[in-house]
Each structure stands twice: as structure tokens, then as C-alpha cells.
């Protein structure tokens, strides 16, 4: 049996990198996407440099996936950017950049993945954030983009259910990656204090939940958002 | 081959209408109410008078995108803002879909 094909956006570092390693260890064929070069050397790993919101480039990527592997089993929409700033001090260039990556890119990948998955079903997992339920100050556009991810998850779940594709969202708390590098420690501690489990999210916490969504037995699990840490 | 030389007839790519007819013919056996493909360009697909539901339309569009890629070597997304519009959707008939797909291919070749 050929290995399951797992596509992960934002795979060159941080959580995406860890997810790629995790699914390689499970025997999957992993395709990573990021704006820069990939950091994994593995016989079952292929890296593709692309801005996730660049439609022409993304269509090329899916063409390569179709011609090389024939189908796609999993899409993990992990690529995401943030820009911590007071709303009044947020430039429109940052607004556009965040929405392009976090919302447009996620939609584009989901749309194209659904085309490849329609023959035998599939799993889409979208990364959202506790910034949505916590209504984090200083993260207006980031939180709004992640709220859009939740709504997209819910609507896509309904539209793609006839194709046996499930769509779910996972909202971790803060993880020690580049995404939160600019967040002051005091602010991080305030976020953790609002979680039921008052610690940073570890990559293994995320993988456990993603494993659940990707499981072949999870065909009745769709349109759901799971927040970690008891938010 | 220089640009101004024409391919021999046997190698000429098939017309867009032929590609649309092929994907519709392949889809028809799975439809309770098949597309009346013998009506040619007038055969209704989606919207008013159309027989396709939204999932069948998805299958048709994706199959056509793949066939265009194989036949013309061009990658296009046939998504359109007017897809669900009753009056001006490019997915109304075999003819409107072929014309629309052709315009997207020309657009992709220019860019």
C-alpha cells in the first residue's frame, strides 16, 4: 500500500516543521510548503517554496502533487503570521499580509486539496488560535483572521462532507515558536492565566489532537474547533 | 517547432467543446438525471433547466481542469464569481462552459 500523502503549509520551521517530522515518522509521504527552503532531508519528504496566497504558484504545486502522487489524504493548514500591535498603530500593509496568509492562503489550499481528495475522501485540519475566544488585545487582525478560519472550517465541513472530506480546526495556546517571539513575557503569562491548564502548549499536544482529526476513524468528526488548554 | 508553423492535423489539440463533451459524457452515468449531451452546445448543465447539483458541478469542473492540463498543458482554475448566478453563470450549458474555459486558457497563456 502506498503511504498516505500529507501536505503541510508553513513547514520549514516551528510547529509545521515538527508536524512534518511527526508524520514522516508515521510513514507518510510529506509535502512541505513555505516561502523559504525546507529544512528536512528525508526520502519521503518533498519541499515546495511558495507564498500560500500566490494562486498561480499554488496551482503549480497541486499539479505536481497530482502528477507525482496521484492524490492527497491530508492537508494541514498550518502557515500563519501575526503582527502584535495596538489596532490604532497597525498599518494596512500588515492587515493585508496577515489576511492573505491566514485566510486567503488557507482557503486556496483547501479548495485545491478538495479537488484532489474528492476521489477517496480526505482530512483537512486548520490551525486557529486561542486568540479568538480570549479576544486578545493587540492581536485584532490576527484574531479576526483566526475567527475567519473557524467559520471557514464550519462551512467547508458542510460543503465537503458529500466528498467524504472532513474539515476541523485546532486552536492551541501559545507555543514557543517565531509566531510569539515578539510577545512580551508579561503578556504571555496573562494569556496562560486565562487557560484552565496554565502552561505553554507543546508541539506534542498539537500532534495528539491532529492525529485524532486525521484518523481514518474520525469520519464523523467534522466542522469542529478544538481549543487546547481549557480556554 | 517555430511559432508560425501549424501542427499536422492529426496532432491538433481537440477543441474545448470536445473536452467539455468528454467530461460530461464521463459524468453522465453517475447522474440520476443525465445531461442531454445530444443537444450539443445547448445542453443545459447547471442553474435554471440544468440537471447538475453543486457536487456534480464540482466533479465536472475539476475533471475539465485536469483534462485542459493534459490536453493543452495549461493549469487553470475554473472558479468564477458568477458560478451560481442563474442568468450569467458560465456553467449554464456545454456552450457557455466551453467558451468560458477557452477564455481562461487564453488568459493563462498570456500571463
Amino acid at each position: 500500500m502506498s503511504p498516505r500523502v500529507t501536505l503541510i503549509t508553513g513547514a520549514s520551521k516551528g510547529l509545521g516543521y515538527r508536524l512534518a517530522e511527526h508524520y514522516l515518522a508515521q510513514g507518510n509521504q510529506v509535502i512541505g510548503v513555505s516561502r523559504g527552503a525546507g529544512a528536512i532531508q528525508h526520502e519521503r519528504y518533498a519541499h515546495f517554496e511558495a507564498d500560500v496566497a500566490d494562486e498561480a504558484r499554488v496551482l503549480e504545486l497541486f499539479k505536481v502533487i497530482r502528477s507525482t502522487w496521484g492524490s492527497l489524504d491530508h492537508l494541514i493548514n498550518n502557515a500563519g503570521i501575526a503582527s502584535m500591535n495596538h489596532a490604532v498603530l497597525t498599518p494596512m500593509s500588515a492587515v493585508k499580509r496577515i489576511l492573505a496568509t491566514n485566510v486567503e492562503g488557507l482557503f486556496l489550499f483547501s479548495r485545491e486539496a478538495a479537488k484532489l481528495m474528492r476521489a477517496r475522501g480526505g482530512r483537512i485540519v486548520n490551525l486557529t488560535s486561542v486568540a479568538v475566544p480570549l479576544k486578545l488585545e493587540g492581536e485584532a487582525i490576527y484574531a479576526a483572521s483566526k475567527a475567519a478560519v473557524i467559520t471557514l472550517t464550519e462551512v467547508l465541513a458542510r460543503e465537503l462532507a458529500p466528498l467524504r472530506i472532513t474539515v476541523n480546526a485546532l486552536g492551541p495556546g501559545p507555543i514557543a515558536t517565531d509566531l510569539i517571539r515578539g510577545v512580551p513575557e508579561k503578556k504571555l503569562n496573562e494569556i496562560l492565566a486565562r487557560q484552565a491548564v496554565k502552561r505553554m502548549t507543546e508541539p506534542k499536544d498539537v500532534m495528539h489532537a491532529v492525529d485524532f482529526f486525521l484518523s481514518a476513524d474520525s469520519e464523523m468528526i467534522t466542522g469542529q474547533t478544538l481549543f487546547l488548554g481549557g480556554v | 517547432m517555430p511559432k508560425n508553423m501549424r501542427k499536422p492535423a492529426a496532432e491538433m489539440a481537440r477543441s474545448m467543446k470536445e473536452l467539455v463533451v468528454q467530461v460530461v459524457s464521463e459524468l453522465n452515468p453517475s447522474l440520476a438525471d443525465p445531461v442531454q449531451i445530444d443537444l450539443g452546445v445547448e445542453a443545459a448543465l447547471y442553474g435554471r433547466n440544468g440537471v447538475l447539483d453543486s457536487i456534480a458541478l464540482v466533479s465536472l469542473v475539476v475533471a475539465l481542469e485536469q483534462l485542459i492540463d493534459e490536453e493543452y498543458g495549461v493549469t487553470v482554475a475554473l472558479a468564477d464569481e458568477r458560478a451560481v448566478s442563474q442568468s450569467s453563470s458560465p456553467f449554464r450549458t456545454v456552450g457557455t462552459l466551453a467558451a468560458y474555459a477557452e477564455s481562461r486558457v487564453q488568459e493563462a497563456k498570456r500571463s
Side-chain angles (χ1 to χ4, degrees):
Chain A
M1 206 177 105
S2 55
R4 291 191 170 278
V5 182
T6 302
L7 173 60
I8 303 171
T9 65
S12 65
K13 56 187 181 180
L15 187 59
Y17 176 87
R18 298 292 298 270
L19 284 163
E21 282 188 321
H22 178 69
Y23 288 106
L24 283 169
Q26 290 195 7
N28 297 19
Q29 166 67 47
V30 176
I31 303 153
V33 182
S34 69
R35 280 170 295 182
I40 297 176
Q41 298 291 331
H42 192 287
E43 58 179 5
R44 277 182 284 99
Y45 183 77
H47 193 83
F48 202 87
E49 288 182 34
D51 179 331
V52 293
D54 180 344
E55 183 176 14
R57 185 85 179 125
V58 172
L59 290 184
E60 277 299 310
L61 161 65
F62 277 89
K63 185 177 175 175
V64 170
I65 296 174
R66 184 157 60 85
S67 59
T68 310
W69 295 284
S71 63
L72 181 65
D73 298 289
H74 312 136
L75 165 64
I76 304 174
N77 276 312
N78 163 74
I81 54 174
S83 173
M84 176 110 184
N85 224 336
H86 191 284
V88 171
L89 301 177
T90 299
M92 287 315 289
S93 57
V95 173
K96 291 190 171 83
R97 214 160 32 84
I98 292 169
L99 292 177
T101 297
N102 297 7
V103 182
E104 291 178 29
L106 179 139
F107 178 77
L108 177 58
F109 269 77
S110 303
R111 187 188 78 187
E112 294 306 311
K115 294 176 183 177
L116 273 181
M117 291 173 173
R118 78 196 162 95
R120 60 183 201 196
R123 303 270 181 267
I124 297 175
V125 178
N126 299 325
L127 267 292
T128 179
S129 168
V130 296
V132 180
L134 295 182
K135 299 160 183 65
L136 286 187
E137 292 162 56
E139 299 275 14
I141 297 303
Y142 176 73
S145 75
K146 292 302 188 179
V149 168
I150 295 172
T151 302
L152 276 171
T153 299
E154 292 169 352
V155 178
L156 289 175
R158 283 159 179 78
E159 291 196 12
L160 300 181
L163 302 174
R164 292 179 300 123
I165 299 168
T166 66
V167 190
N168 292 286
L170 178 66
I175 311 174
T177 66
D178 284 355
L179 192 78
I180 62 158
R181 203 174 38 191
V183 182
E185 194 176 339
K186 181 168 173 284
K187 177 88 181 171
L188 272 181
N189 288 334
E190 284 171 12
I191 297 169
L192 297 181
R194 294 169 70 186
Q195 297 179 182
V197 182
K198 301 181 196 312
R199 69 161 171 83
M200 297 279 283
T201 298
E202 300 284 340
K204 67 178 171 61
D205 304 318
V206 172
M207 287 164 203
H208 176 61
V210 177
D211 281 346
F212 167 66
F213 285 141
L214 296 189
S215 163
D217 291 329
S218 292
E219 59 187 27
M220 277 292 275
I221 317 292
T222 195
Q224 304 304 304
T225 298
L226 180 61
F227 290 110
L228 301 183
V231 170
Chain B
M1 185 185 296
K3 268 185 190 165
N4 57 357
M5 273 182 70
R6 295 186 62 174
K7 282 184 179 182
E11 287 182 30
M12 290 268 282
R14 289 181 295 160
S15 74
M16 187 62 77
K17 186 198 150 195
E18 287 173 285
L19 302 195
V20 174
V21 167
Q22 180 184 324
V23 294
V24 171
S25 304
E26 286 168 2
L27 184 66
N28 258 347
S30 67
L31 301 175
D33 192 4
V35 175
Q36 287 183 277
I37 200 72
D38 51 319
L39 295 178
V41 291
E42 298 298 324
L45 297 175
Y46 187 75
R48 200 171 51 184
N49 305 325
V51 294
L52 303 181
D53 62 14
S54 58
I55 287 297
L57 179 67
V58 167
S59 297
L60 176 69
V61 166
V62 174
L64 184 58
E65 286 177 357
Q66 292 179 0
L67 193 57
I68 287 171
D69 187 0
E70 288 160 18
E71 196 81 11
Y72 303 145
V74 178
T75 306
V76 289
L78 294 176
D80 186 84
E81 286 177 30
R82 297 161 301 164
V84 294
S85 149
Q86 294 282 316
S87 58
S88 60
S89 161
F91 305 124
R92 290 191 315 281
T93 66
V94 165
T96 59
L97 176 55
Y100 168 67
E102 183 60 40
S103 71
R104 292 306 305 265
V105 167
Q106 295 308 326
E107 213 173 278
K109 281 181 176 170
R110 280 196 299 272
S111 62

